[in-house]
Amino acid sequence: MGGPLADLVFQSYGRCCKDEQFFVDFYTHFMGSSPAIKERFANTDMPAQRHLLRNGIMQLVLFARGMSDRKLRALGESHNRHGYNIPAEWYVLWLDSLMKTVAKHDPEYDRSLEKAWRDVLQPGIDMISDAY
Ligand code: HEM
């Protein structure tokens, strides 16, 4: 997948993550998408979690650009049924929440950029959710 689409997404993410509010808004959208998801973060240190997610999204983009899958395999382990126990359906809500947040924060957002984001991130997301 590395290549022009992954580059567009890498640049879009650069515009988004300049502003810490991007991650605040992501968790507002994500936790708003289901009470069960909100519940999972009830005892989480959110400033720390926002920082970890900043890195996690970067790992998804770097994987699409051809980087090693080692970090994503570790996320697959931590999120699987023995860890945070995150079922596959929730990754759909995760990606929809991310797209809502990108739409709000990237001034260059349009339908084709949204499709690029979805296509570029999906293989990395599958790598995590397939480890369930
Ligand atoms: C923790 C990334 C999807 C719930 C984490 C961490 C990262 C991360 C980097 C911290 C490192 C770790 O503990 O392994 C991602 C990425 C996702 C994703 C990139 C999508 C591809 C989800 C989904 C849920 C979720 C769908 C559903 C609720 C959690 C929870 C924690 C966590 C509960 C631990 C929070 C705590 O320490 O209290 N995630 N995550 N994640 N994630 Fe995810």
PDB file of all heavy atoms in Angstrom, residues 27 30 36-37 40-41 43-45 49 52-53 55-57 60 72 74-75 78-79 84 86-87 90-91 94 124-125 128, ligand 1:
ATOM      1  N   TYR A  27     -11.847  11.389  21.116  1.00  0.00           N
ATOM      2  CA  TYR A  27     -12.416  10.600  22.215  1.00  0.00           C
ATOM      3  C   TYR A  27     -13.842  11.035  22.541  1.00  0.00           C
ATOM      4  O   TYR A  27     -14.652  10.218  22.989  1.00  0.00           O
ATOM      5  CB  TYR A  27     -11.489  10.595  23.434  1.00  0.00           C
ATOM      6  CG  TYR A  27     -10.384   9.575  23.258  1.00  0.00           C
ATOM      7  CD1 TYR A  27      -9.071   9.964  23.035  1.00  0.00           C
ATOM      8  CD2 TYR A  27     -10.674   8.204  23.268  1.00  0.00           C
ATOM      9  CE1 TYR A  27      -8.061   9.022  22.835  1.00  0.00           C
ATOM     10  CE2 TYR A  27      -9.674   7.256  23.058  1.00  0.00           C
ATOM     11  CZ  TYR A  27      -8.382   7.671  22.857  1.00  0.00           C
ATOM     12  OH  TYR A  27      -7.398   6.733  22.643  1.00  0.00           O
ATOM     13  N   PHE A  30     -15.699   9.132  19.850  1.00  0.00           N
ATOM     14  CA  PHE A  30     -15.625   7.679  20.037  1.00  0.00           C
ATOM     15  C   PHE A  30     -16.449   7.246  21.254  1.00  0.00           C
ATOM     16  O   PHE A  30     -17.250   6.315  21.185  1.00  0.00           O
ATOM     17  CB  PHE A  30     -14.160   7.264  20.171  1.00  0.00           C
ATOM     18  CG  PHE A  30     -13.935   5.777  20.205  1.00  0.00           C
ATOM     19  CD1 PHE A  30     -14.612   4.921  19.353  1.00  0.00           C
ATOM     20  CD2 PHE A  30     -12.992   5.235  21.081  1.00  0.00           C
ATOM     21  CE1 PHE A  30     -14.378   3.542  19.377  1.00  0.00           C
ATOM     22  CE2 PHE A  30     -12.753   3.870  21.108  1.00  0.00           C
ATOM     23  CZ  PHE A  30     -13.456   3.019  20.260  1.00  0.00           C
ATOM     24  N   ALA A  36     -21.041   1.521  26.053  1.00  0.00           N
ATOM     25  CA  ALA A  36     -20.108   0.439  26.407  1.00  0.00           C
ATOM     26  C   ALA A  36     -18.662   0.878  26.146  1.00  0.00           C
ATOM     27  O   ALA A  36     -17.750   0.478  26.876  1.00  0.00           O
ATOM     28  CB  ALA A  36     -20.435  -0.819  25.615  1.00  0.00           C
ATOM     29  N   ILE A  37     -18.470   1.689  25.124  1.00  0.00           N
ATOM     30  CA  ILE A  37     -17.118   2.179  24.838  1.00  0.00           C
ATOM     31  C   ILE A  37     -16.712   3.218  25.874  1.00  0.00           C
ATOM     32  O   ILE A  37     -15.609   3.192  26.408  1.00  0.00           O
ATOM     33  CB  ILE A  37     -17.047   2.718  23.392  1.00  0.00           C
ATOM     34  CG1 ILE A  37     -17.117   1.535  22.414  1.00  0.00           C
ATOM     35  CG2 ILE A  37     -15.773   3.546  23.178  1.00  0.00           C
ATOM     36  CD1 ILE A  37     -17.165   1.897  20.960  1.00  0.00           C
ATOM     37  N   ARG A  40     -15.363   1.693  28.947  1.00  0.00           N
ATOM     38  CA  ARG A  40     -14.010   1.141  28.887  1.00  0.00           C
ATOM     39  C   ARG A  40     -12.939   2.162  29.264  1.00  0.00           C
ATOM     40  O   ARG A  40     -11.814   1.798  29.571  1.00  0.00           O
ATOM     41  CB  ARG A  40     -13.695   0.602  27.498  1.00  0.00           C
ATOM     42  CG  ARG A  40     -14.476  -0.601  27.100  1.00  0.00           C
ATOM     43  CD  ARG A  40     -14.385  -1.669  28.182  1.00  0.00           C
ATOM     44  NE  ARG A  40     -15.136  -2.850  27.782  1.00  0.00           N
ATOM     45  CZ  ARG A  40     -14.591  -3.895  27.180  1.00  0.00           C
ATOM     46  NH1 ARG A  40     -13.301  -3.921  26.924  1.00  0.00           N
ATOM     47  NH2 ARG A  40     -15.349  -4.914  26.840  1.00  0.00           N
ATOM     48  N   PHE A  41     -13.278   3.443  29.163  1.00  0.00           N
ATOM     49  CA  PHE A  41     -12.287   4.483  29.472  1.00  0.00           C
ATOM     50  C   PHE A  41     -12.589   5.191  30.789  1.00  0.00           C
ATOM     51  O   PHE A  41     -12.016   6.237  31.092  1.00  0.00           O
ATOM     52  CB  PHE A  41     -12.215   5.492  28.323  1.00  0.00           C
ATOM     53  CG  PHE A  41     -11.688   4.891  27.039  1.00  0.00           C
ATOM     54  CD1 PHE A  41     -12.548   4.571  25.990  1.00  0.00           C
ATOM     55  CD2 PHE A  41     -10.329   4.626  26.885  1.00  0.00           C
ATOM     56  CE1 PHE A  41     -12.072   4.006  24.811  1.00  0.00           C
ATOM     57  CE2 PHE A  41      -9.842   4.051  25.707  1.00  0.00           C
ATOM     58  CZ  PHE A  41     -10.714   3.749  24.672  1.00  0.00           C
ATOM     59  N   ASN A  43     -11.788   4.580  33.796  1.00  0.00           N
ATOM     60  CA  ASN A  43     -10.662   4.741  34.734  1.00  0.00           C
ATOM     61  C   ASN A  43      -9.356   5.075  34.031  1.00  0.00           C
ATOM     62  O   ASN A  43      -8.272   4.857  34.579  1.00  0.00           O
ATOM     63  CB  ASN A  43     -10.498   3.470  35.563  1.00  0.00           C
ATOM     64  CG  ASN A  43     -11.739   3.172  36.379  1.00  0.00           C
ATOM     65  OD1 ASN A  43     -12.271   4.067  37.052  1.00  0.00           O
ATOM     66  ND2 ASN A  43     -12.246   1.955  36.301  1.00  0.00           N
ATOM     67  N   THR A  44      -9.459   5.569  32.803  1.00  0.00           N
ATOM     68  CA  THR A  44      -8.265   5.840  32.007  1.00  0.00           C
ATOM     69  C   THR A  44      -7.777   7.271  32.230  1.00  0.00           C
ATOM     70  O   THR A  44      -8.584   8.199  32.337  1.00  0.00           O
ATOM     71  CB  THR A  44      -8.590   5.606  30.509  1.00  0.00           C
ATOM     72  OG1 THR A  44      -8.982   4.246  30.338  1.00  0.00           O
ATOM     73  CG2 THR A  44      -7.405   5.915  29.620  1.00  0.00           C
ATOM     74  N   ASP A  45      -6.466   7.406  32.293  1.00  0.00           N
ATOM     75  CA  ASP A  45      -5.819   8.728  32.341  1.00  0.00           C
ATOM     76  C   ASP A  45      -5.876   9.281  30.917  1.00  0.00           C
ATOM     77  O   ASP A  45      -5.077   8.901  30.062  1.00  0.00           O
ATOM     78  CB  ASP A  45      -4.380   8.517  32.830  1.00  0.00           C
ATOM     79  CG  ASP A  45      -3.510   9.777  32.706  1.00  0.00           C
ATOM     80  OD1 ASP A  45      -3.975  10.797  32.153  1.00  0.00           O
ATOM     81  OD2 ASP A  45      -2.354   9.717  33.176  1.00  0.00           O
ATOM     82  N   GLN A  49      -3.664   8.792  27.519  1.00  0.00           N
ATOM     83  CA  GLN A  49      -4.262   7.991  26.458  1.00  0.00           C
ATOM     84  C   GLN A  49      -4.233   8.739  25.113  1.00  0.00           C
ATOM     85  O   GLN A  49      -3.992   8.153  24.071  1.00  0.00           O
ATOM     86  CB  GLN A  49      -5.709   7.622  26.841  1.00  0.00           C
ATOM     87  CG  GLN A  49      -6.422   6.718  25.853  1.00  0.00           C
ATOM     88  CD  GLN A  49      -5.795   5.333  25.756  1.00  0.00           C
ATOM     89  OE1 GLN A  49      -5.108   4.899  26.668  1.00  0.00           O
ATOM     90  NE2 GLN A  49      -6.009   4.674  24.645  1.00  0.00           N
ATOM     91  N   LEU A  52      -0.856   8.334  23.711  1.00  0.00           N
ATOM     92  CA  LEU A  52      -0.643   6.987  23.177  1.00  0.00           C
ATOM     93  C   LEU A  52      -1.353   6.818  21.841  1.00  0.00           C
ATOM     94  O   LEU A  52      -0.841   6.184  20.920  1.00  0.00           O
ATOM     95  CB  LEU A  52      -1.143   5.942  24.189  1.00  0.00           C
ATOM     96  CG  LEU A  52      -0.320   5.837  25.474  1.00  0.00           C
ATOM     97  CD1 LEU A  52      -1.077   5.080  26.557  1.00  0.00           C
ATOM     98  CD2 LEU A  52       1.018   5.158  25.187  1.00  0.00           C
ATOM     99  N   LEU A  53      -2.541   7.414  21.721  1.00  0.00           N
ATOM    100  CA  LEU A  53      -3.282   7.284  20.467  1.00  0.00           C
ATOM    101  C   LEU A  53      -2.585   8.044  19.338  1.00  0.00           C
ATOM    102  O   LEU A  53      -2.562   7.586  18.189  1.00  0.00           O
ATOM    103  CB  LEU A  53      -4.718   7.797  20.608  1.00  0.00           C
ATOM    104  CG  LEU A  53      -5.520   7.592  19.317  1.00  0.00           C
ATOM    105  CD1 LEU A  53      -5.829   6.107  19.107  1.00  0.00           C
ATOM    106  CD2 LEU A  53      -6.771   8.421  19.269  1.00  0.00           C
ATOM    107  N   ASN A  55       0.438   8.272  18.841  1.00  0.00           N
ATOM    108  CA  ASN A  55       1.434   7.331  18.358  1.00  0.00           C
ATOM    109  C   ASN A  55       0.809   6.127  17.642  1.00  0.00           C
ATOM    110  O   ASN A  55       1.314   5.661  16.629  1.00  0.00           O
ATOM    111  CB  ASN A  55       2.275   6.880  19.554  1.00  0.00           C
ATOM    112  CG  ASN A  55       3.590   6.342  19.113  1.00  0.00           C
ATOM    113  OD1 ASN A  55       4.353   7.032  18.462  1.00  0.00           O
ATOM    114  ND2 ASN A  55       3.837   5.082  19.431  1.00  0.00           N
ATOM    115  N   GLY A  56      -0.322   5.662  18.173  1.00  0.00           N
ATOM    116  CA  GLY A  56      -0.993   4.498  17.588  1.00  0.00           C
ATOM    117  C   GLY A  56      -1.463   4.765  16.160  1.00  0.00           C
ATOM    118  O   GLY A  56      -1.304   3.913  15.273  1.00  0.00           O
ATOM    119  N   ILE A  57      -2.020   5.940  15.923  1.00  0.00           N
ATOM    120  CA  ILE A  57      -2.478   6.281  14.564  1.00  0.00           C
ATOM    121  C   ILE A  57      -1.269   6.370  13.640  1.00  0.00           C
ATOM    122  O   ILE A  57      -1.299   5.897  12.503  1.00  0.00           O
ATOM    123  CB  ILE A  57      -3.296   7.588  14.569  1.00  0.00           C
ATOM    124  CG1 ILE A  57      -4.598   7.399  15.343  1.00  0.00           C
ATOM    125  CG2 ILE A  57      -3.595   8.048  13.133  1.00  0.00           C
ATOM    126  CD1 ILE A  57      -5.375   8.676  15.605  1.00  0.00           C
ATOM    127  N   LEU A  60      -0.324   3.017  12.432  1.00  0.00           N
ATOM    128  CA  LEU A  60      -1.185   2.528  11.346  1.00  0.00           C
ATOM    129  C   LEU A  60      -0.746   3.111  10.004  1.00  0.00           C
ATOM    130  O   LEU A  60      -0.696   2.418   8.989  1.00  0.00           O
ATOM    131  CB  LEU A  60      -2.649   2.905  11.596  1.00  0.00           C
ATOM    132  CG  LEU A  60      -3.372   2.216  12.760  1.00  0.00           C
ATOM    133  CD1 LEU A  60      -4.762   2.820  12.944  1.00  0.00           C
ATOM    134  CD2 LEU A  60      -3.487   0.713  12.534  1.00  0.00           C
ATOM    135  N   LEU A  72       2.026  -3.057  15.633  1.00  0.00           N
ATOM    136  CA  LEU A  72       0.596  -3.371  15.493  1.00  0.00           C
ATOM    137  C   LEU A  72       0.285  -4.740  16.091  1.00  0.00           C
ATOM    138  O   LEU A  72      -0.795  -4.952  16.645  1.00  0.00           O
ATOM    139  CB  LEU A  72       0.165  -3.310  14.029  1.00  0.00           C
ATOM    140  CG  LEU A  72       0.272  -1.926  13.376  1.00  0.00           C
ATOM    141  CD1 LEU A  72      -0.329  -1.955  11.975  1.00  0.00           C
ATOM    142  CD2 LEU A  72      -0.408  -0.850  14.221  1.00  0.00           C
ATOM    143  N   ALA A  74       1.724  -5.908  18.699  1.00  0.00           N
ATOM    144  CA  ALA A  74       1.661  -5.657  20.145  1.00  0.00           C
ATOM    145  C   ALA A  74       0.294  -5.066  20.518  1.00  0.00           C
ATOM    146  O   ALA A  74      -0.298  -5.442  21.544  1.00  0.00           O
ATOM    147  CB  ALA A  74       2.791  -4.726  20.571  1.00  0.00           C
ATOM    148  N   LEU A  75      -0.225  -4.158  19.672  1.00  0.00           N
ATOM    149  CA  LEU A  75      -1.562  -3.598  19.938  1.00  0.00           C
ATOM    150  C   LEU A  75      -2.633  -4.689  19.800  1.00  0.00           C
ATOM    151  O   LEU A  75      -3.610  -4.701  20.547  1.00  0.00           O
ATOM    152  CB  LEU A  75      -1.864  -2.431  18.996  1.00  0.00           C
ATOM    153  CG  LEU A  75      -1.111  -1.124  19.283  1.00  0.00           C
ATOM    154  CD1 LEU A  75      -1.467  -0.075  18.228  1.00  0.00           C
ATOM    155  CD2 LEU A  75      -1.445  -0.601  20.675  1.00  0.00           C
ATOM    156  N   SER A  78      -2.611  -6.462  23.117  1.00  0.00           N
ATOM    157  CA  SER A  78      -3.183  -5.743  24.266  1.00  0.00           C
ATOM    158  C   SER A  78      -4.703  -5.601  24.137  1.00  0.00           C
ATOM    159  O   SER A  78      -5.396  -5.516  25.145  1.00  0.00           O
ATOM    160  CB  SER A  78      -2.528  -4.367  24.446  1.00  0.00           C
ATOM    161  OG  SER A  78      -2.820  -3.487  23.384  1.00  0.00           O
ATOM    162  N   HIS A  79      -5.221  -5.603  22.889  1.00  0.00           N
ATOM    163  CA  HIS A  79      -6.659  -5.387  22.688  1.00  0.00           C
ATOM    164  C   HIS A  79      -7.451  -6.695  22.541  1.00  0.00           C
ATOM    165  O   HIS A  79      -8.664  -6.661  22.400  1.00  0.00           O
ATOM    166  CB  HIS A  79      -6.878  -4.512  21.447  1.00  0.00           C
ATOM    167  CG  HIS A  79      -6.513  -3.073  21.647  1.00  0.00           C
ATOM    168  ND1 HIS A  79      -5.213  -2.649  21.845  1.00  0.00           N
ATOM    169  CD2 HIS A  79      -7.272  -1.953  21.687  1.00  0.00           C
ATOM    170  CE1 HIS A  79      -5.200  -1.330  21.995  1.00  0.00           C
ATOM    171  NE2 HIS A  79      -6.438  -0.877  21.906  1.00  0.00           N
ATOM    172  N   TYR A  84      -7.761  -6.086  26.640  1.00  0.00           N
ATOM    173  CA  TYR A  84      -8.889  -5.160  26.818  1.00  0.00           C
ATOM    174  C   TYR A  84     -10.191  -5.759  26.307  1.00  0.00           C
ATOM    175  O   TYR A  84     -11.255  -5.205  26.541  1.00  0.00           O
ATOM    176  CB  TYR A  84      -8.604  -3.833  26.095  1.00  0.00           C
ATOM    177  CG  TYR A  84      -7.304  -3.174  26.488  1.00  0.00           C
ATOM    178  CD1 TYR A  84      -6.467  -2.622  25.524  1.00  0.00           C
ATOM    179  CD2 TYR A  84      -6.918  -3.092  27.832  1.00  0.00           C
ATOM    180  CE1 TYR A  84      -5.268  -2.020  25.871  1.00  0.00           C
ATOM    181  CE2 TYR A  84      -5.721  -2.494  28.188  1.00  0.00           C
ATOM    182  CZ  TYR A  84      -4.897  -1.962  27.206  1.00  0.00           C
ATOM    183  OH  TYR A  84      -3.712  -1.360  27.546  1.00  0.00           O
ATOM    184  N   ILE A  86     -11.592  -6.255  23.102  1.00  0.00           N
ATOM    185  CA  ILE A  86     -12.272  -5.335  22.188  1.00  0.00           C
ATOM    186  C   ILE A  86     -12.767  -6.114  20.961  1.00  0.00           C
ATOM    187  O   ILE A  86     -11.960  -6.534  20.120  1.00  0.00           O
ATOM    188  CB  ILE A  86     -11.315  -4.217  21.723  1.00  0.00           C
ATOM    189  CG1 ILE A  86     -10.659  -3.488  22.908  1.00  0.00           C
ATOM    190  CG2 ILE A  86     -12.059  -3.239  20.808  1.00  0.00           C
ATOM    191  CD1 ILE A  86     -11.603  -2.849  23.885  1.00  0.00           C
ATOM    192  N   PRO A  87     -14.095  -6.314  20.844  1.00  0.00           N
ATOM    193  CA  PRO A  87     -14.622  -7.071  19.703  1.00  0.00           C
ATOM    194  C   PRO A  87     -14.467  -6.297  18.388  1.00  0.00           C
ATOM    195  O   PRO A  87     -14.403  -5.066  18.387  1.00  0.00           O
ATOM    196  CB  PRO A  87     -16.100  -7.268  20.057  1.00  0.00           C
ATOM    197  CG  PRO A  87     -16.430  -6.177  21.019  1.00  0.00           C
ATOM    198  CD  PRO A  87     -15.154  -5.843  21.749  1.00  0.00           C
ATOM    199  N   TRP A  90     -16.286  -2.969  17.206  1.00  0.00           N
ATOM    200  CA  TRP A  90     -15.950  -1.662  17.762  1.00  0.00           C
ATOM    201  C   TRP A  90     -14.920  -0.911  16.926  1.00  0.00           C
ATOM    202  O   TRP A  90     -14.795   0.305  17.030  1.00  0.00           O
ATOM    203  CB  TRP A  90     -15.473  -1.812  19.210  1.00  0.00           C
ATOM    204  CG  TRP A  90     -16.615  -2.100  20.139  1.00  0.00           C
ATOM    205  CD1 TRP A  90     -17.933  -2.282  19.777  1.00  0.00           C
ATOM    206  CD2 TRP A  90     -16.577  -2.222  21.555  1.00  0.00           C
ATOM    207  NE1 TRP A  90     -18.688  -2.517  20.894  1.00  0.00           N
ATOM    208  CE2 TRP A  90     -17.893  -2.490  21.993  1.00  0.00           C
ATOM    209  CE3 TRP A  90     -15.551  -2.135  22.493  1.00  0.00           C
ATOM    210  CZ2 TRP A  90     -18.204  -2.662  23.338  1.00  0.00           C
ATOM    211  CZ3 TRP A  90     -15.857  -2.311  23.829  1.00  0.00           C
ATOM    212  CH2 TRP A  90     -17.173  -2.568  24.249  1.00  0.00           C
ATOM    213  N   TYR A  91     -14.176  -1.646  16.120  1.00  0.00           N
ATOM    214  CA  TYR A  91     -13.189  -0.980  15.268  1.00  0.00           C
ATOM    215  C   TYR A  91     -13.865  -0.174  14.156  1.00  0.00           C
ATOM    216  O   TYR A  91     -13.293   0.781  13.645  1.00  0.00           O
ATOM    217  CB  TYR A  91     -12.203  -2.005  14.688  1.00  0.00           C
ATOM    218  CG  TYR A  91     -11.299  -2.566  15.770  1.00  0.00           C
ATOM    219  CD1 TYR A  91     -11.677  -3.685  16.496  1.00  0.00           C
ATOM    220  CD2 TYR A  91     -10.092  -1.936  16.090  1.00  0.00           C
ATOM    221  CE1 TYR A  91     -10.873  -4.190  17.511  1.00  0.00           C
ATOM    222  CE2 TYR A  91      -9.280  -2.436  17.093  1.00  0.00           C
ATOM    223  CZ  TYR A  91      -9.680  -3.563  17.809  1.00  0.00           C
ATOM    224  OH  TYR A  91      -8.882  -4.047  18.817  1.00  0.00           O
ATOM    225  N   TRP A  94     -14.643   2.949  15.833  1.00  0.00           N
ATOM    226  CA  TRP A  94     -13.358   3.664  16.018  1.00  0.00           C
ATOM    227  C   TRP A  94     -13.006   4.444  14.740  1.00  0.00           C
ATOM    228  O   TRP A  94     -12.702   5.644  14.794  1.00  0.00           O
ATOM    229  CB  TRP A  94     -12.259   2.649  16.365  1.00  0.00           C
ATOM    230  CG  TRP A  94     -10.931   3.238  16.735  1.00  0.00           C
ATOM    231  CD1 TRP A  94     -10.491   3.528  17.998  1.00  0.00           C
ATOM    232  CD2 TRP A  94      -9.882   3.618  15.842  1.00  0.00           C
ATOM    233  NE1 TRP A  94      -9.220   4.057  17.932  1.00  0.00           N
ATOM    234  CE2 TRP A  94      -8.822   4.129  16.635  1.00  0.00           C
ATOM    235  CE3 TRP A  94      -9.720   3.585  14.460  1.00  0.00           C
ATOM    236  CZ2 TRP A  94      -7.626   4.604  16.088  1.00  0.00           C
ATOM    237  CZ3 TRP A  94      -8.534   4.055  13.899  1.00  0.00           C
ATOM    238  CH2 TRP A  94      -7.504   4.549  14.711  1.00  0.00           C
ATOM    239  N   GLY A 124      -4.037  -2.130   8.649  1.00  0.00           N
ATOM    240  CA  GLY A 124      -3.446  -2.072   9.985  1.00  0.00           C
ATOM    241  C   GLY A 124      -4.489  -2.333  11.063  1.00  0.00           C
ATOM    242  O   GLY A 124      -4.213  -3.011  12.065  1.00  0.00           O
ATOM    243  N   ILE A 125      -5.695  -1.789  10.854  1.00  0.00           N
ATOM    244  CA  ILE A 125      -6.784  -2.038  11.808  1.00  0.00           C
ATOM    245  C   ILE A 125      -7.110  -3.537  11.818  1.00  0.00           C
ATOM    246  O   ILE A 125      -7.289  -4.128  12.884  1.00  0.00           O
ATOM    247  CB  ILE A 125      -8.033  -1.201  11.436  1.00  0.00           C
ATOM    248  CG1 ILE A 125      -7.738   0.293  11.615  1.00  0.00           C
ATOM    249  CG2 ILE A 125      -9.237  -1.614  12.287  1.00  0.00           C
ATOM    250  CD1 ILE A 125      -8.837   1.216  11.088  1.00  0.00           C
ATOM    251  N   ILE A 128      -4.816  -5.536  13.924  1.00  0.00           N
ATOM    252  CA  ILE A 128      -5.105  -5.480  15.361  1.00  0.00           C
ATOM    253  C   ILE A 128      -6.350  -6.320  15.689  1.00  0.00           C
ATOM    254  O   ILE A 128      -6.313  -7.156  16.587  1.00  0.00           O
ATOM    255  CB  ILE A 128      -5.309  -4.013  15.818  1.00  0.00           C
ATOM    256  CG1 ILE A 128      -4.026  -3.201  15.586  1.00  0.00           C
ATOM    257  CG2 ILE A 128      -5.724  -3.955  17.286  1.00  0.00           C
ATOM    258  CD1 ILE A 128      -4.179  -1.705  15.827  1.00  0.00           C
TER     259      ILE A 128
HETATM  260  C1  HEM B   1      -5.191   1.360  24.775  1.00  0.00           C
HETATM  261  C2  HEM B   1      -4.453   2.266  20.090  1.00  0.00           C
HETATM  262  C3  HEM B   1      -8.887   0.611  19.085  1.00  0.00           C
HETATM  263  C4  HEM B   1      -9.879   0.542  23.795  1.00  0.00           C
HETATM  264  C5  HEM B   1      -4.591   1.693  23.589  1.00  0.00           C
HETATM  265  C6  HEM B   1      -3.208   2.126  23.431  1.00  0.00           C
HETATM  266  C7  HEM B   1      -3.027   2.401  22.127  1.00  0.00           C
HETATM  267  C8  HEM B   1      -4.274   2.134  21.449  1.00  0.00           C
HETATM  268  C9  HEM B   1      -1.742   2.898  21.442  1.00  0.00           C
HETATM  269  C10 HEM B   1      -2.164   2.214  24.548  1.00  0.00           C
HETATM  270  C11 HEM B   1      -1.168   1.081  24.420  1.00  0.00           C
HETATM  271  C12 HEM B   1      -1.709  -0.235  24.912  1.00  0.00           C
HETATM  272  O1  HEM B   1      -2.305  -0.278  26.001  1.00  0.00           O
HETATM  273  O2  HEM B   1      -1.516  -1.243  24.191  1.00  0.00           O
HETATM  274  C13 HEM B   1      -5.582   1.845  19.401  1.00  0.00           C
HETATM  275  C14 HEM B   1      -5.705   1.844  17.962  1.00  0.00           C
HETATM  276  C15 HEM B   1      -6.954   1.365  17.690  1.00  0.00           C
HETATM  277  C16 HEM B   1      -7.601   1.082  18.953  1.00  0.00           C
HETATM  278  C17 HEM B   1      -4.627   2.297  16.975  1.00  0.00           C
HETATM  279  C18 HEM B   1      -7.614   1.139  16.353  1.00  0.00           C
HETATM  280  C19 HEM B   1      -7.022   0.544  15.339  1.00  0.00           C
HETATM  281  C20 HEM B   1      -9.560   0.510  20.270  1.00  0.00           C
HETATM  282  C21 HEM B   1     -10.971   0.226  20.377  1.00  0.00           C
HETATM  283  C22 HEM B   1     -11.271   0.236  21.693  1.00  0.00           C
HETATM  284  C23 HEM B   1     -10.030   0.497  22.427  1.00  0.00           C
HETATM  285  C24 HEM B   1     -11.920  -0.040  19.209  1.00  0.00           C
HETATM  286  C25 HEM B   1     -12.649   0.032  22.250  1.00  0.00           C
HETATM  287  C26 HEM B   1     -13.119   0.585  23.370  1.00  0.00           C
HETATM  288  C27 HEM B   1      -8.682   0.704  24.454  1.00  0.00           C
HETATM  289  C28 HEM B   1      -8.558   0.621  25.908  1.00  0.00           C
HETATM  290  C29 HEM B   1      -7.208   0.876  26.196  1.00  0.00           C
HETATM  291  C30 HEM B   1      -6.534   1.091  24.919  1.00  0.00           C
HETATM  292  C31 HEM B   1      -9.685   0.322  26.909  1.00  0.00           C
HETATM  293  C32 HEM B   1      -6.549   0.933  27.598  1.00  0.00           C
HETATM  294  C33 HEM B   1      -6.921   2.214  28.293  1.00  0.00           C
HETATM  295  C34 HEM B   1      -6.338   2.283  29.699  1.00  0.00           C
HETATM  296  O3  HEM B   1      -5.106   2.093  29.851  1.00  0.00           O
HETATM  297  O4  HEM B   1      -7.112   2.537  30.620  1.00  0.00           O
HETATM  298  N1  HEM B   1      -5.202   1.703  22.371  1.00  0.00           N
HETATM  299  N2  HEM B   1      -6.739   1.384  19.969  1.00  0.00           N
HETATM  300  N3  HEM B   1      -9.023   0.661  21.514  1.00  0.00           N
HETATM  301  N4  HEM B   1      -7.466   0.972  23.912  1.00  0.00           N
HETATM  302 FE1  HEM B   1      -7.098   1.120  21.950  1.00  0.00          FE
END
